[in-house]
Amino acid sequence: MHFSDNAVIFAAKAQRSEETPEVRDIASVFASNSLWKPVDETTCCDFSLNGSVFAWSLGQGFVGILTNGDDNHVDFESPFHGLNSCTRVIDCGENVTSLVFLPRIPGSKKCDHDALLATGLRRGPIKVWNALTGDVCNILFDHTSRVTSLTFAPKGLNLLVSSSHDKTLKVWDMADNGNMCMTMRAHKQSINACAYSPTDSQMLASVGGGREVFLWNLTNKRRTGRPTQLLGHRNDVRSCAWSPDGALLATGSNDSSVIVWDVVSKTKVITLGHMCPMPSSIYAGGANGHWVSCVAFSRDGTKLVSTCEDDRDHAADVTGF
């Protein structure tokens, strides 16, 4: 799930309580009797930093690129003048499990442009592309399993962090030809997502199996202290997202809930449920039919949206926290 200025998917308002927020059904574009439906391959999307390029995984190892050919933002509310359903298709060679646009890397012949796209793949490599030409700029090898998430440091540090089902996070210096600087270990099970704080280049969150939510303090690209674990979820944690001001962290879990954390005090601010009433601990810890798959804040920080396997998105008003 991703937000753009002109592509926002949340309901008008929601209740700030532990009851279910306002809910909207997400209609499927596939007929109920369709012989082919996407299962777990169309998993990720992102906008370039200047908003002129949009990329998403198509399944079967392909990434679709959508651009309007100039520096204007891709506008999904317009009648798509000058836009094609897919400007370019990139063949990544294996299933794409995560992707993110990177800022331009000054001084690099291949990476000094605004359409630098990193794709995490199922077997562990990370391929970096020029999204406009389809040329490979770099390939990063060290993970041994699915790359689940990619996040780039704020404030011009040129550091890319990746998470993987191999239970590690890795820090890559993109200004040094993608050199792998550090491997971070604390998770006991697969890591499902990671995210840099948008305001603090030393603060990183990661979530994974076994109810694990960690906050990391990266001293520099080669050194980090022991992470702080946030306790509260009752099942595997699938997604995490920061508020634009970096004060709040939202985590979505298979226990059917989204927890909003105060990262300074390391405490819960509120728990939002996809089930009303909230399920018991035994029910939340199993296949309850309401696993939360993704969370995201709106760009103004007033709304928090989560998607769930019940084919609904839930929107909560988080102003005042």
Side-chain angles (χ1 to χ4, degrees), residues 6-29:
N6 295 317
V8 183
I9 54 162
F10 51 71
K13 59 182 179 180
Q15 300 176 12
R16 295 188 313 195
S17 70
E18 295 200 351
E19 297 181 355
T20 306
E22 188 163 331
V23 178
R24 186 177 67 181
D25 290 330
I26 304 175
S28 174
V29 298

Side-chain angles (χ1 to χ4, degrees), residues 35-298:
L35 296 178
W36 183 89
K37 297 179 182 179
V39 181
D40 61 353
E41 294 178 322
T42 305
T43 55
C44 45
C45 62
D46 196 21
F47 286 89
S48 62
L49 299 186
N50 64 5
S52 65
V53 186
F54 178 68
W56 75 103
S57 60
L58 296 170
Q60 306 299 323
F62 294 96
V63 170
I65 304 298
L66 181 65
T67 178
N68 54 7
D70 54 35
D71 292 332
N72 294 323
H73 289 254
V74 176
D75 185 2
F76 289 95
E77 293 183 348
S78 72
F80 283 77
H81 293 309
L83 292 173
N84 300 312
S85 59
C86 204
T87 308
R88 176 177 296 278
V89 173
I90 296 175
D91 184 357
C92 297
E94 59 181 282
N95 287 350
V96 177
T97 52
S98 56
L99 59 81
V100 67
F101 275 100
L102 310 179
R104 62 169 60 232
I105 310 298
S108 171
K109 292 183 179 179
K110 293 184 178 181
C111 299
D112 193 3
H113 56 81
D114 293 322
L116 194 63
L117 177 67
T119 56
L121 306 181
R122 182 169 61 89
R123 292 187 178 91
I126 300 168
K127 291 186 178 181
V128 183
W129 307 83
N130 182 329
L132 299 181
T133 65
D135 295 331
V136 177
C137 300
N138 208 337
I139 304 179
L140 313 178
F141 293 102
D142 211 66
H143 283 299
T144 58
S145 187
R146 173 190 298 257
V147 178
T148 56
S149 186
L150 298 164
T151 183
F152 204 80
K155 301 183 179 180
L157 288 186
N158 294 323
L159 297 180
L160 175 69
V161 174
S162 57
S163 64
S164 171
H165 278 181
D166 64 13
K167 307 177 186 178
T168 68
L169 298 114
K170 295 185 183 291
V171 180
W172 312 84
D173 188 349
M174 300 308 296
D176 187 20
N177 199 33
N179 179 46
M180 203 277 288
C181 304
M182 178 171 55
T183 297
M184 301 156 61
R185 294 182 172 89
H187 286 265
K188 297 179 181 178
Q189 297 189 28
S190 298
I191 306 175
N192 293 325
C194 64
Y196 253 116
S197 165
T199 59
D200 187 347
S201 59
Q202 295 184 330
M203 183 71 72
L204 180 82
S206 62
V207 300
R211 313 175 185 182
E212 293 178 327
V213 179
F214 286 110
L215 285 178
W216 301 80
N217 184 15
L218 279 67
T219 306
N220 54 53
K221 67 180 183 180
R222 299 187 185 276
R223 187 177 179 183
T224 182
R226 179 179 292 274
T228 300
Q229 186 170 7
L230 305 180
L231 302 175
H233 281 296
R234 296 177 287 176
N235 204 332
D236 296 346
V237 188
R238 302 271 299 277
S239 179
C240 61
W242 293 87
S243 62
D245 61 3
L248 301 175
L249 175 71
T251 54
S253 168
N254 288 353
D255 64 10
S256 83
S257 75
V258 175
I259 296 180
V260 180
W261 309 86
D262 182 322
V263 296
V264 176
S265 63
K266 310 297 191 298
T267 57
K268 293 183 191 179
V269 174
I270 194 172
T271 301
L272 303 169
H274 272 257
M275 297 179 67
C276 184
M278 296 284 284
S280 65
S281 295
I282 294 177
Y283 193 67
N288 52 58
H290 292 76
W291 290 359
V292 178
S293 57
C294 193
V295 293
F297 282 91
S298 60

